[in-house]
Amino acid sequence: MVLAYDGAIQRLIDSFASLPGIGPKGAQRIAFYLLQAPDVESQRLVDAISEVKAKVKFCEICGNVCESSPCAICSDPRRDHTTICVVEEPKDVMSIENTREYRGLYQVLGGAINPMANIGPSDLNIAQLLNRLKDGQVKEVIVALNPNIEGEATTTYLSRLLTPLDIKVTRLASGLPVGGDLEYADEITLSRALEGRREV
Amino acid sequence: MVLAYDGAIQRLIDSFASLPGIGPKGAQRIAFYLLQAPDVESQRLVDAISEVKAKVKFCEICGNVCESSPCAICSDPRRDHTTICVVEEPKDVMSIENTREYRGLYQVLGGAINPMANIGPSDLNIAQLLNRLKDGQVKEVIVALNPNIEGEATTTYLSRLLTPLDIKVTRLASGLPVGGDLEYADEITLSRALEGRREV
């Protein structure tokens, strides 16, 4: 067992080490950084955490994060209200917005089906999505989940659920990442790229 | 330019990204983690930061972090008060304590001489160290600074300063790290190991 610091410092190190992506050494470094930083800097972090917890909520329509519900995207009349892009997490909305190619709406599922972690369809915002499709305004649902086992399973589940509703269900293309190298592409990605080949 | 989030979330991401060792993606991950975490968890982090800033100070004798000055080490009569180990940062004290080999006192310099960053001897707790050597109680000063250019320069500076005071000045051994591999040792480390060879 290694020795621990005096109470307050150790509690700060432990708090940081419990965050995703921060190990014990990184947590120690941050703790000492904050200790020596001006009070205004540590206060800014404290305020930012408290503010997010107090102000940020989830949009009642799409499940994205927002400060007033419905969110800015759902309540924007200039967006295309006939298309919904289904993503796993709020940060995925930002990834797609950053392409500046998409002008429709979103539905944040809050994860993907994962039997190993006990996450089933009822734990996701799927009922919310189905509810939005009822009035027949939506013509296309773009399923944009992560290209891993959980995302694939959820995509299959959604496509079975939505196809009978006479709505076009599409998914993101699989293939070689732009700037990538054929040599380093894994077999599955490469076979998907072959399968999805297009005329030039 | 990529799009930014709504006010509060972006401020939290920026606050985390300004900490050492956390990049923009990691900051985003932590922000969404905290957003979805129970209030008690984010409150624990907020409290830990505020507590450290309010309670933790620097020991008036050795410069180490502590909740009451003098620190637990300086005020412990069972420690060897004739030896002072000089380190750069408070976290180095913990590294040496964890060896359980050292029973003397410490002096935290608060850094090392670094002309490139405009850190000279007067920016370090060197006057504090000299003050502690005045009463003649201390027989040995162990200089345990980082084995890089700044640490070397500071070690040389300290040894010139302390040798006339008739105090034994020692430094940590340089050589191969235990569990390391001769093949991967750099030339400087290997020549230091040769230079410092010992009879078996």
Side-chain angles (χ1 to χ4, degrees):
Chain A
M1 202 214 60
V2 293
L3 295 170
Y5 287 91
D6 266 7
I9 297 183
Q10 192 60 42
R11 277 193 289 281
L12 184 58
I13 295 176
D14 292 344
S15 292
F16 273 110
S18 73
L19 298 177
I22 303 184
K25 284 277 171 190
Q28 178 181 291
R29 193 171 159 210
I30 294 170
F32 278 107
Y33 171 84
L34 280 179
L35 181 60
Q36 285 165 24
D39 282 359
V40 56
E41 190 170 341
S42 57
Q43 195 54 47
R44 199 186 314 134
L45 179 60
V46 164
D47 292 345
I49 298 171
S50 311
E51 194 191 5
V52 154
K53 296 302 280 189
K55 277 197 195 166
V56 177
K57 40 194 167 220
F58 296 95
C59 171
E60 67 205 61
I61 298 178
C62 72
N64 192 12
V65 290
C66 59
E67 291 187 23
S68 63
S69 175
C71 71
I73 293 175
C74 285
S75 51
D76 185 347
R78 290 165 306 172
R79 308 235 10 162
D80 172 8
H81 283 243
T82 67
T83 313
I84 292 180
C85 178
V86 179
V87 295
E88 290 184 23
E89 303 289 347
K91 58 178 183 283
D92 300 329
V93 170
M94 194 51 67
S95 299
I96 292 185
E97 283 295 283
N98 275 326
T99 67
R100 293 165 200 269
E101 291 285 337
Y102 181 68
R103 299 297 304 158
L105 306 179
Y106 291 93
Q107 173 66 48
V108 177
L109 290 187
I113 295 172
N114 185 352
M116 304 289 282
N118 250 325
I119 301 174
S122 58
D123 300 310
L124 307 174
N125 295 333
I126 293 178
Q128 204 176 24
L129 172 65
L130 290 178
N131 208 29
R132 294 173 71 187
L133 302 177
K134 269 186 190 156
D135 64 0
Q137 209 196 346
V138 175
K139 303 298 175 208
E140 180 177 359
V141 169
I142 303 174
V143 185
L145 307 181
N146 288 326
N148 53 24
I149 298 179
E150 292 77 25
E152 292 292 311
T154 314
T155 302
T156 309
Y157 180 87
L158 285 178
S159 101
R160 286 197 195 145
L161 208 63
L162 303 184
T163 318
L165 303 181
D166 196 27
I167 291 168
K168 190 172 157 190
V169 181
T170 57
R171 57 181 297 168
L172 297 185
S174 280
L176 297 174
V178 177
D181 202 310
L182 210 77
E183 186 183 351
Y184 297 113
D186 64 289
E187 301 82 21
I188 301 176
T189 301
L190 204 50
S191 57
R192 288 279 176 81
L194 262 174
E195 205 179 294
R197 66 192 180 276
R198 300 169 57 166
E199 279 194 53
V200 288
Chain B
M1 201 212 63
V2 291
L3 296 169
Y5 286 90
D6 264 8
I9 297 184
Q10 192 60 43
R11 278 194 288 280
L12 183 59
I13 294 176
D14 292 344
S15 292
F16 273 111
S18 73
L19 298 177
I22 302 185
K25 284 278 172 188
Q28 178 182 292
R29 193 172 158 209
I30 294 170
F32 278 107
Y33 171 83
L34 281 179
L35 181 59
Q36 284 165 22
D39 282 0
V40 55
E41 190 169 341
S42 58
Q43 195 54 46
R44 200 185 313 134
L45 179 61
V46 163
D47 292 344
I49 297 171
S50 310
E51 193 190 6
V52 154
K53 296 303 280 188
K55 277 196 193 167
V56 176
K57 40 196 167 218
F58 295 95
C59 171
E60 68 205 63
I61 299 179
C62 72
N64 192 12
V65 290
C66 59
E67 290 187 24
S68 62
S69 175
C71 71
I73 293 175
C74 285
S75 51
D76 185 347
R78 289 164 306 171
R79 306 229 21 155
D80 172 10
H81 284 241
T82 67
T83 313
I84 292 179
C85 177
V86 179
V87 294
E88 291 184 24
E89 302 291 345
K91 59 178 182 281
D92 300 328
V93 170
M94 194 49 67
S95 299
I96 292 184
E97 284 295 283
N98 275 325
T99 66
R100 293 164 199 268
E101 292 284 337
Y102 181 68
R103 298 297 305 161
L105 305 180
Y106 291 93
Q107 174 67 47
V108 178
L109 289 188
I113 296 171
N114 184 353
M116 303 289 282
N118 251 324
I119 300 173
S122 59
D123 300 310
L124 307 175
N125 295 333
I126 293 179
Q128 202 176 23
L129 172 65
L130 290 177
N131 208 31
R132 292 173 72 186
L133 301 177
K134 268 185 189 154
D135 65 1
Q137 210 197 344
V138 174
K139 303 299 174 207
E140 180 176 359
V141 170
I142 304 173
V143 185
L145 306 182
N146 288 326
N148 54 23
I149 298 178
E150 293 78 25
E152 292 292 312
T154 314
T155 302
T156 310
Y157 180 87
L158 284 177
S159 102
R160 285 199 195 143
L161 207 65
L162 303 184
T163 318
L165 303 181
D166 197 26
I167 291 170
K168 189 172 159 193
V169 181
T170 57
R171 57 180 297 170
L172 296 185
S174 279
L176 298 174
V178 177
D181 201 310
L182 211 78
E183 185 183 351
Y184 297 112
D186 64 287
E187 301 80 23
I188 301 176
T189 301
L190 204 51
S191 58
R192 288 279 175 80
L194 262 173
E195 205 179 294
R197 66 190 180 278
R198 300 169 57 168
E199 280 194 52
V200 286

